[in-house]
């Protein structure tokens, strides 16, 4: 993969906060509200064994295409 590939992960220099609006589970997509918009989201670490429920705060650490990469927190 190259940095110009839309499926290449792009990690942000500084994580920002988002709020889960649809459950995010391992291996699946959920949804977060981030900077006044709703985005598809998935966990960054695929070895995580947790599920993020609506209302949970998350760190938005990057993106792949139009899907945000998030971590608990």
């Amino acid at each position: 993969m190259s940095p110009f590939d839309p499926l290449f992960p792009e990690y942000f220099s500084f994580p920002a906060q988002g709020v889960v609006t649809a459950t995010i589970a391992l291996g699946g997509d959920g949804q977060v509200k981030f900077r006044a918009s709703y985005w598809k989201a998935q966990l960054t670490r695929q070895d995580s064994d947790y599920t993020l429920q609506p209302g949970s705060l998350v760190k938005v650490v990057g993106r792949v295409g139009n899907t945000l990469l998030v971590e608990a927190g």
Side-chain angles (χ1 to χ4, degrees):
M1 272 190 231
S2 80
F4 302 107
D5 185 333
L7 299 179
F8 187 81
E10 173 190 347
Y11 290 93
F12 303 149
S13 298
F14 300 99
Q17 190 174 65
V19 178
V20 177
T21 56
T23 302
I24 306 171
L26 178 64
D29 292 335
Q31 185 182 60
V32 296
K33 185 174 183 182
F34 176 66
R35 296 188 178 163
S37 295
Y38 293 88
W39 295 78
K40 191 165 51 165
Q42 60 183 243
L43 296 170
T44 56
R45 294 180 40 192
Q46 295 303 311
D47 61 342
S48 302
D49 62 348
Y50 54 87
T51 299
L52 300 173
Q53 300 296 329
S56 301
L57 296 178
V58 292
K59 291 181 203 170
V60 179
V61 297
R63 70 181 184 90
V64 174
N66 66 349
T67 300
L68 295 180
L69 301 173
V70 300
E71 296 177 351

